[in-house]
Amino acid sequence: DPIVRPVLGRSTELFPDGDDSIRVEAVGCVLSLPGAPEQSWHPDSPDEVGLVNVFVPLLDLTESLGPTALGVRSHQHDGGDGSKPHLAAHNIVRPLIRAGGLLIFDWRLWHRGGANTGTSERPVAYITYARRGVEGTSYKRGLPSLFGGHALKQ
């Protein structure tokens, strides 16, 4: 949070009121098991402004673990209607982030988890930041939590 909040606060489009408008919406972990297929391309929300994911890999990412692929500037080319933008190979990046590093991206950006062709699990912690007053139509809502298997209510 001491690293991410000042960075997000500099984005006048996402957080026009700076640091004071930023809140943590969700915290969790995504685990990709060996043999898991790649996800479909998707934005977490195609049109909500003020929602940002911060991924923190819990081990060094390699190509075989299927790092998150991002469509560069794809949030600017989908017309706001949720239709899939043209994702040419030269517009896709797969950052190989070291354990504890940060990947910060807008919810509108098209992305997907890659296929895990390695022999180890790929654990990635995430924190979702939101501008005050913006509610994510999050796929994370209603998922079972680690606390007694009950769905998380916000």
Side-chain angles (χ1 to χ4, degrees):
D1 199 56
I3 295 169
V4 174
R5 193 174 291 270
V7 170
L8 296 180
R10 289 169 117 1
S11 173
T12 56
E13 177 193 358
L14 298 175
F15 303 98
D17 297 327
D19 288 7
D20 294 338
S21 67
I22 301 170
R23 66 179 175 78
V24 172
E25 180 180 79
V27 176
C29 186
V30 175
L31 182 65
S32 174
L33 300 175
E38 66 187 12
Q39 294 177 333
S40 297
W41 284 101
H42 65 279
D44 289 334
S45 177
D47 53 7
E48 281 293 338
V49 177
L51 293 161
V52 174
N53 281 325
V54 178
F55 283 5
V56 184
L58 302 181
L59 51 77
D60 294 349
L61 295 180
T62 63
E63 278 296 334
S64 67
L65 293 176
T68 300
L70 307 158
V72 177
R73 292 196 233 5
S74 57
H75 65 299
Q76 298 172 341
H77 302 289
D78 72 359
D81 62 0
S83 60
K84 186 173 174 181
H86 177 68
L87 294 171
H90 66 276
N91 291 335
I92 296 170
V93 296
R94 292 175 184 81
L96 300 179
I97 302 167
R98 297 187 57 93
L102 302 175
L103 173 62
I104 302 172
F105 63 96
D106 190 305
W107 265 36
R108 298 171 294 167
L109 192 74
W110 285 72
H111 62 283
R112 70 176 174 187
N116 185 344
T117 61
T119 57
S120 23
E121 299 171 343
R122 182 188 73 225
V124 177
Y126 69 84
I127 305 162
T128 299
Y129 285 87
R131 183 176 66 224
R132 290 194 193 286
V134 174
E135 285 294 323
T137 53
S138 176
Y139 56 88
K140 299 171 189 91
R141 293 197 203 300
L143 292 177
S145 76
L146 296 177
F147 304 103
H150 301 288
L152 196 60
K153 302 291 183 203
Q154 294 187 1

